[in-house]
Amino acid sequence: MTELHPDLRENVRMLGELLGQSIRRYPGQDCYELIEEIRAAAKSDRRQESGSGQRLVNLLGKLSDDELLPVTRAFNQFLNLANLAEQYHGIRRKRGHQSDLMVESLGEVFDRLKTGGVSPEELHQRVADLRIEFVLTAHPTEVARRTLIMKYDEMSDCLAQLDHDDLMPAESEEIASRLSQLVTEAWHTDEIRHERPTAVDEAKWGFAVIENSLWQALPQFLRSLDISLQDATGKGLPLRASPIRIASWMGGDRDGNPNVTHKVTRKVFLLGRWMAADLYLRDIQSLRAELSMWQASDELKAVAGDSREPYRHVLAELRDRLIKTRDWAEASVNGESADVTGILFENEDFTGPLELCYRSLVESGLETIANGPLLDTIRRAHTFGLPLIRLDIRQEASRHAEAVAEMVEYLGLGDYLSWTEQERQDFLVQELQGRRPLIPRNWEPSESVGEVLATCEVVARQTPQALGSYVISMASKPSDVLSVILLLRESGMKYPMRVVPLFETLDDLRGAPESMAALYEVEWYREYCQGRQEVMIGYSDSSKDAGQLMAAWAQYQAQEKLTHVANQYGVHLTLFHGRGGTVGRGGGPANRAILSQPPGSVNGSFRITEQGEMIRFKFGLPRLAVQSLTLYTTAVIEATLAPPPKPEDSWRETMDWLTERSLKAYRDVVRDNPDFVPYFRQVTPEQALGKLALGSRPARRKATGGVESLRAIPWIFAWTQMRLMLPSWLGSDVALEEAARDNRLPVLRDMMQGWPFFRTYVDMLEMVLAKADLRIASYYEQTLLDDDKLKALGESLRKRLQGCIQRLLELKEQTQLLEGEPVFAHSMRVRNPYTDPLHYLQAELLKRDRESEGKGEVPELVERALKVTMAGISAGMRNTG
């Protein structure tokens, strides 16, 4: 049995002891002894294979209301500290230490590609043209408060300092003392938000990720990429190359979120410019201290005049303009009038003087100085730009159709919504080709249409560098895209913005290739998009709609066909992957997911959403961010230059056979069983999730409705909390069972061996099944269900889960789950004694919560403890939704 790495185990032990010391100092000495007794009971119950958890249940059942909160908080806090230790372990640099999470280096991947026949010229060209864009989203899955995240980050710094072998005893004591203080501060800090963040708060959090991590990490990574490319091809990264870009939905995603208005979006654009000016100002002031030399090119002297320190002269002008820009942005955010004279608005106004200094240093023989901090700032300028982040706008297709329809009706041109698709297209193209304005001067639109148009006006005032994509959810026809372009143009847009249809449900995915072919057939649009198109693939809703296995296959086929259609029309396609953190939302190890995409679909460009707690896990610390950027970049380059082979026809037929069965089995339960929704509502904490102030967006698209109206995140969150993990395996159980009965397991093993897509799917299924827990799911049912029909449904689902586990073990020819992932398996075992009490407490607290609601009032201690259990289980599972 693989144990945790000794260094990791030591850090987990140390942090746990420091937490224990903090708890001992908590008012009431009995608290610590009680917590230790509960932990010991959880461990003991786990050791007994068939143990019912009865000893633990009995202990927890005796807790008074006053004891509930400190006990839940203690287990929650330990799980957060364990996560912190694991996260740091992945990036630690202690001498002689090999991290279990080390990623393959850029140089190793470049060498493998060259050995495989890729020429240095092609490798250099592909890397120079690379476009990888991370889209930070405001999806509400980050449970931890910002104030605690900052404390955890400083704890990581302390662990890094303690790793040095040359510390004096006094230095070690000082660092250890600070670490103890931070753990104590965290223990005495409320871990639950009591007010929902606004959309602007979310955007500020996204900016903080850039300020605290990516601002340092990005130039470090690009320097590494430059050196590796130079070693592999003889040429480094071009000065203006920006292979990595950062975009955001925070403050731009209005789909189902009434709190994101045009005023919010405008404020976020301005805040981004304020933050960028402030960050660049620090860079410029530092560069002025560095660039004191007098040798300069004639080009620079012509700008600097007879200044003895020409670089400082040029940088002083930039400094003054950045101060003006920051002051203008701050005043604008506050609604005050501001002087725009001399502000930096277009990227070239900023990058031009920097590149002038760079060229002058190189020409003067000072290339070593040119390639120092100045180059880092130039790289930042080309990546982040003056807007800091590229803001995506997302809106639902019917809102644009409604806006066009109101205009058309006002002008007396007919009923747009009743027109055929061809009639709509003809009208839209005719208007796009014309020169007269469509929006009537004195027209007063309805409130909802006015908001759409006001958003378009805010977008139209931005520079191209400030904008990501305009994403249209529920898009299915060319008119959905053309109407957005028309509304933007009518609002004053002067250049072509990327307009991106989002295909989410099973039917949408199946219809996507035909929809895009129809759009490419529009000659006007082909000229507009200039040979480049982005299409977004939604993972969450397709999985909720059809089950994980069917959704994964539909996504794969849609990408294949979309790539083929784009090639037919000579269009370079970028697929935008709307993945979440969990397997049920398309999550999982990023490099394996990218390398299992259909051949040709990753063609030097890749766009992906990063959300909630996954932003922290991947980009929360500078060294962690460098590692994540390396991992994504190597995978995209390899998938571009050495894509996986096409699947064999017999494998496709097998996938069709499997998914036909999985889809029916999934929908028979989720859609057609009348007991399913009541079971879901009663056995999971779904109804209580709204009490966690996670994000600015409502948990439901509609105030009423069943599972179909529930957002994918709370849907996954709820099942994860009670450990049935249903969305990720339901349907696959029947497919694997019938495959075994039909003697198809040998074929499935061949598919695992030769087809990365299928192997990745099976590995992700195994990971989810390892997180499932039959005993805990059963306890939730015993505690929360009274109806015998619902209990019977629960029992049948648990039997199906057990059957799915057995079939997967048979398929992989293993005796237990995660045989090939021993470190992950051990990490789960370490967490179980801390998550188990939270599960049992949560079930009991849900029962008390519901009983109290029936009486009219829920005790505050019960409500707070319930919220803490949700946060703690999320930490223990390493994800929420």
Side-chain angles (χ1 to χ4, degrees):
M1 184 185 295
T2 301
E3 298 291 319
L4 292 184
H5 190 286
D7 290 341
L8 172 56
R9 190 168 63 242
E10 171 59 22
N11 277 347
V12 171
R13 184 200 60 76
M14 176 174 62
L15 290 168
E17 284 186 359
L18 290 175
L19 176 62
Q21 291 167 16
S22 299
I23 294 170
R24 280 195 193 93
R25 293 192 287 266
Y26 195 76
Q29 288 285 316
D30 296 341
C31 179
Y32 177 76
E33 302 301 329
L34 177 61
I35 289 162
E36 280 298 289
E37 191 178 359
I38 291 168
R39 186 169 72 96
K43 272 188 163 181
S44 170
D45 284 345
R46 277 280 170 181
R47 276 197 295 269
Q48 300 167 28
E49 290 292 322
S50 58
S52 64
Q54 199 55 49
R55 182 182 165 205
L56 182 58
V57 170
N58 289 340
L59 266 176
L60 296 174
K62 295 174 185 173
L63 294 180
S64 67
D65 281 359
D66 289 341
E67 291 168 329
L68 281 172
L69 193 59
V71 168
T72 52
R73 292 191 67 240
F75 287 103
N76 170 48
Q77 197 61 257
F78 176 84
L79 289 163
N80 277 306
L81 293 174
N83 283 349
L84 181 156
E86 277 194 11
Q87 186 180 47
Y88 169 67
H89 182 70
I91 55 172
R92 70 192 308 173
R93 293 259 182 94
K94 190 170 182 180
R95 193 168 5 153
H97 169 80
Q98 272 297 92
S99 166
D100 299 313
L101 306 176
M102 289 288 281
V103 302
E104 195 173 21
S105 73
L106 291 155
E108 287 170 320
V109 173
F110 291 171
D111 287 345
R112 187 168 66 247
L113 289 169
K114 285 166 64 184
T115 302
V118 176
S119 70
E121 294 74 23
E122 185 180 10
L123 178 58
H124 185 273
Q125 190 62 52
R126 283 295 196 170
V127 174
D129 293 341
L130 204 62
R131 288 285 180 276
I132 302 172
E133 193 159 24
F134 299 98
V135 185
L136 310 181
T137 72
H139 287 346
T141 65
E142 175 58 274
V143 175
R145 288 180 62 201
R146 181 75 202 145
T147 186
L148 279 169
I149 290 171
M150 292 170 72
K151 294 185 194 303
Y152 296 147
D153 287 351
E154 193 178 343
M155 289 180 206
S156 290
D157 288 341
C158 289
L159 294 179
Q161 292 172 49
L162 288 172
D163 260 350
H164 287 273
D165 295 331
D166 57 351
L167 293 174
M168 302 288 286
E171 291 174 317
S172 292
E173 286 174 19
E174 187 179 345
I175 297 164
S177 174
R178 179 57 182 155
L179 187 58
S180 175
Q181 286 171 4
L182 288 164
V183 171
T184 304
E185 285 175 14
W187 172 244
H188 289 282
T189 298
D190 190 348
E191 55 271 272
I192 300 300
R193 293 190 202 99
H194 294 281
E195 294 179 9
R196 274 188 185 278
T198 66
V200 172
D201 291 334
E202 289 169 337
K204 287 178 179 176
W205 182 75
F207 296 152
V209 172
I210 293 177
E211 179 184 14
N212 299 327
S213 176
L214 286 168
W215 196 255
Q216 298 172 56
L218 189 109
Q220 286 176 24
F221 165 73
L222 291 178
R223 192 173 291 280
S224 169
L225 179 60
D226 188 27
I227 292 167
S228 299
L229 193 61
Q230 178 78 40
D231 290 345
T233 70
K235 289 189 292 182
L237 201 62
L239 186 65
R240 296 189 172 194
S242 51
I244 302 294
R245 295 186 180 183
I246 309 296
S248 175
W249 277 13
M250 302 180 191
D253 179 13
R254 58 236 318 115
D255 181 25
N257 190 349
N259 302 314
V260 179
T261 64
H262 72 280
K263 290 179 180 176
V264 165
T265 299
R266 178 179 178 274
K267 188 171 185 178
V268 169
F269 275 125
L270 289 165
L271 282 169
R273 288 189 176 272
W274 183 92
M275 174 65 85
D278 192 60
L279 288 170
Y280 286 126
L281 191 55
R282 299 175 209 174
D283 271 18
I284 296 302
Q285 287 170 331
S286 176
L287 283 173
R288 286 196 75 238
E290 290 252 344
L291 301 183
S292 55
M293 53 289 313
W294 51 265
Q295 300 98 321
S297 66
D298 291 341
E299 183 188 18
L300 181 63
K301 288 176 182 173
V303 174
D306 57 1
S307 172
R308 291 178 181 175
E309 296 179 321
Y311 300 95
R312 285 180 167 174
H313 176 90
V314 170
L315 293 171
E317 288 187 356
L318 269 186
R319 176 200 60 197
D320 295 345
R321 294 186 71 184
L322 282 168
I323 291 170
K324 286 181 181 177
T325 304
R326 188 181 61 179
D327 293 347
W328 158 79
E330 185 176 13
S332 300
V333 165
N334 295 328
E336 301 163 5
S337 59
D339 182 11
V340 297
T341 309
I343 68 166
L344 292 166
F345 198 69
E346 299 286 347
N347 263 26
E348 293 74 16
D349 294 343
F350 184 55
T351 57
L354 294 173
E355 289 178 1
L356 171 61
C357 291
Y358 184 88
R359 287 193 301 272
S360 175
L361 287 167
V362 171
E363 194 177 315
S364 303
L366 303 174
E367 195 165 350
T368 305
I369 297 171
N371 288 325
L374 174 61
L375 179 59
D376 289 347
T377 299
I378 292 172
R379 298 272 198 228
R380 289 185 183 113
H382 282 296
T383 299
F384 299 113
L386 288 169
L388 189 64
I389 209 162
R390 295 164 191 268
L391 192 65
D392 276 14
I393 304 297
R394 184 167 75 135
Q395 182 59 279
E396 202 250 325
S398 65
R399 295 289 300 275
H400 310 122
E402 179 192 2
V404 175
E406 261 191 39
M407 283 183 221
V408 168
E409 183 184 18
Y410 181 83
L411 294 168
L413 300 175
D415 180 4
Y416 178 82
L417 296 180
S418 70
W419 291 355
T420 65
E421 171 59 18
Q422 193 57 53
E423 287 172 329
R424 290 188 187 188
Q425 282 183 43
D426 291 345
F427 170 77
L428 293 167
V429 171
Q430 182 182 342
E431 289 299 324
L432 286 163
Q433 288 174 331
R435 295 186 177 179
R436 68 170 175 80
L438 179 65
I439 298 179
R441 183 173 294 173
N442 298 316
W443 172 55
E444 290 189 11
S446 64
E447 186 179 348
S448 64
V449 169
E451 176 57 38
V452 170
L453 295 175
T455 298
C456 288
E457 285 176 18
V458 169
V459 171
R461 293 195 192 108
Q462 309 307 315
T463 60
Q465 294 83 9
L467 300 173
S469 302
Y470 195 119
V471 179
I472 314 168
S473 57
M474 303 299 172
S476 59
K477 306 175 291 295
S479 62
D480 292 330
V481 172
L482 296 171
S483 60
V484 169
I485 300 171
L486 180 62
L487 292 171
L488 288 170
R489 196 198 71 174
E490 290 293 314
S491 302
M493 193 69 133
K494 298 288 193 298
Y495 51 86
M497 183 180 182
R498 291 194 307 249
V499 179
V500 178
L502 162 57
F503 301 104
E504 292 195 80
T505 64
L506 183 59
D507 288 343
D508 285 347
L509 289 167
R510 286 172 169 169
E514 188 180 341
S515 295
M516 294 311 298
L519 184 60
Y520 299 143
E521 279 292 325
V522 179
E523 187 179 349
W524 182 90
Y525 181 75
R526 288 204 307 278
E527 292 177 13
Y528 172 88
C529 74
Q530 298 173 337
R532 301 187 77 85
Q533 178 64 47
E534 186 177 306
V535 172
M536 185 170 182
I537 302 290
Y539 287 73
S540 311
D541 283 330
S542 56
S543 183
K544 184 159 73 80
D545 176 40
Q548 180 62 19
L549 181 58
M550 180 74 250
W553 181 225
Q555 290 149 10
Y556 186 94
Q557 291 176 299
Q559 291 177 62
E560 275 188 316
K561 291 171 184 171
L562 285 165
T563 302
H564 177 68
V565 168
N567 289 340
Q568 281 185 313
Y569 287 90
V571 171
H572 181 281
L573 178 68
T574 296
L575 288 165
F576 179 10
H577 299 266
R579 290 176 177 269
T582 56
V583 172
R585 300 193 56 240
N591 58 333
R592 289 166 66 183
I594 294 168
L595 290 167
S596 65
Q597 299 303 305
S601 65
V602 182
N603 187 17
S605 59
F606 193 82
R607 207 167 191 255
I608 188 167
T609 53
E610 296 290 359
Q611 63 163 48
E613 79 277 359
M614 301 315 293
I615 296 174
R616 177 160 54 102
F617 292 158
K618 293 179 182 178
F619 304 107
L621 301 170
R623 275 182 15 213
L624 197 65
V626 169
Q627 189 167 280
S628 295
L629 294 173
T630 302
L631 185 145
Y632 274 97
T633 301
T634 53
V636 171
I637 292 168
E638 191 158 9
T640 298
L641 290 170
K646 288 184 178 179
E648 296 178 8
D649 289 345
S650 62
W651 297 351
R652 291 179 181 279
E653 290 165 15
T654 301
M655 279 304 296
D656 288 339
W657 187 92
L658 286 169
T659 52
E660 182 185 331
R661 284 150 182 77
S662 72
L663 176 64
K664 182 180 185 305
Y666 178 85
R667 286 184 171 173
D668 279 351
V669 173
V670 174
R671 286 192 180 185
D672 300 335
N673 188 326
D675 296 326
F676 178 74
V677 171
Y679 171 81
F680 170 60
R681 293 268 147 80
Q682 290 181 40
V683 84
T684 75
E686 181 258 332
Q687 303 278 37
L689 288 178
K691 296 176 182 181
L692 270 181
L694 287 182
S696 68
R697 195 165 72 166
R700 293 184 176 279
R701 287 187 166 90
K702 297 174 185 171
T704 58
V707 169
E708 76 287 344
S709 72
L710 193 72
R711 289 196 173 279
I713 290 164
W715 163 249
I716 299 282
F717 196 133
W719 292 111
T720 303
Q721 291 279 304
M722 54 84 69
R723 298 288 281 279
L724 196 61
M725 316 299 284
L726 177 138
S728 298
W729 62 263
L730 185 64
S732 296
D733 61 315
V734 169
L736 291 176
E737 178 67 34
E738 295 197 18
R741 202 178 302 145
D742 206 40
N743 296 318
R744 289 177 181 256
L745 292 188
V747 178
L748 298 189
R749 291 187 190 113
D750 287 344
M751 291 163 64
M752 286 170 56
Q753 187 70 30
W755 191 11
F757 161 76
F758 189 69
R759 182 169 63 250
T760 299
Y761 173 75
V762 172
D763 289 346
M764 292 303 98
L765 176 60
E766 181 182 19
M767 187 181 78
V768 170
L769 293 176
K771 287 186 174 185
D773 194 298
L774 292 158
R775 186 178 67 175
I776 286 170
S778 173
Y779 185 75
Y780 276 76
E781 291 173 12
Q782 293 168 29
T783 308
L784 298 169
L785 298 181
D786 295 323
D787 189 322
D788 287 341
K789 285 195 301 180
L790 301 188
K791 287 181 178 178
L793 174 59
E795 186 177 354
S796 75
L797 290 172
R798 283 185 284 111
K799 280 183 180 173
R800 289 177 64 167
L801 171 58
Q802 182 66 51
C804 192
I805 292 169
Q806 293 306 318
R807 286 306 179 198
L808 184 108
L809 291 173
E810 187 180 347
L811 172 63
K812 296 194 79 171
E813 299 176 294
Q814 297 175 182
T815 57
Q816 59 185 18
L817 294 172
L818 299 177
E819 280 183 13
E821 298 284 346
V823 174
F824 178 69
H826 190 70
S827 173
M828 289 293 295
R829 285 195 296 275
V830 168
R831 283 172 161 70
N832 283 332
Y834 299 90
T835 53
D836 285 359
L838 292 173
H839 286 297
Y840 289 117
L841 279 167
Q842 184 181 85
E844 177 61 34
L845 287 164
L846 280 169
K847 185 178 180 182
R848 292 193 202 180
D849 185 66
R850 291 169 187 175
E851 288 171 352
S852 300
E853 277 183 346
K855 296 173 186 172
E857 190 174 351
V858 180
E860 186 192 354
L861 282 173
V862 170
E863 185 123 309
R864 280 190 68 192
L866 177 57
K867 291 177 184 177
V868 174
T869 64
M870 292 189 225
I873 292 166
S874 296
M877 294 294 97
R878 286 300 298 264
N879 48 42
T880 52

